[in-house]
Amino acid sequence: MNKHGHLADFLQARRSQLRPQDVGLQTYGERRRVPGLRREELAMLAGISAPYYTRLEQGQSRNASREVLDAVASALRLDESERAHLHTLARAPRRSRAAGRPPVEHLTPATSALLAAIEGTPAVVIGRRSDVLAWNRPGHGLFAGHLDPDSPDDPGRRPNMARLVFLDAHTRDLYSDWPAKARAVVGNLRLTAGRFPDDPLLAGLIGELAMRSPEFATMWADHRIQACDVADYEMRHPLVGILAVTQQTLQSPQGSGPSLVVATAVPGSPSATALTLLAHTTAPQEPTRPRHGAETRTT
């Protein structure tokens, strides 16, 4: 993040990605020293003055009206998720003091009950920084069967889904179209960073991933926003083979608490059969009991 903040980063990045020909502007073969549109060009498209847009992009104007923000969003060709993100960034309060360490996230009783109610369906409870707070047996088996199933119980050992997607070879191989999954992770982290700009643990996670994964650093730098409430993926599972699943994310109100990620398949499909097999494979095994009347013989 530059010195002007998340809003400035977002506006500058998205402006640099628009070319004059993308928005019908003539350049007449002139040499341009900056990538993408100039500030005055973007301001003209939005119908606002260039000095005002400059102040907005530099974080010097925090009281832009909804109409102005919508005009800027239209000029930048933002989709609905990106438009909402722009409004969130513009409304974020200025930091008044150093942020304290956020409290440890916990599994709520209501979410725990919901997780238990869908025991036969792969499900994972994710915190706002993508930490795994809990999973049921099929969820563990589908997404991270190579990890300790009890690791979410200890806040110090909790797996983090963003780290797994970018830094874990098993998880990377799990997705046939890994770049699509990676972009979804980055897009969701962008949305979270916009809602919680002063979260030091979130900032630390993003910094770590940017340092350890060039692919993450590249995706993060383009400021793409992707709200992945529902997404389809082909997964290459080591136990049940290739299967197509729909991952649905059930968000808590205002995105402030845990989310429930559920994986389903088309009923009656081979993928649904594979999920049923996975649920059976990961089900707790009852101890074998001797049949009634059987005798123990010794020699």
Side-chain angles (χ1 to χ4, degrees), residues 177-188:
D177 188 356
W178 178 85
K181 179 62 178 178
R183 286 192 296 271
V185 169
V186 172
N188 276 321

Side-chain angles (χ1 to χ4, degrees), residues 18 20 25-27 29-38 41:
L18 275 180
L25 292 179
Q26 295 292 331
T27 60
E30 63 179 307
R31 293 177 60 88
R32 302 174 69 88
R33 295 189 299 173
V34 296
L37 295 181
R38 296 168 176 149
E41 292 170 335

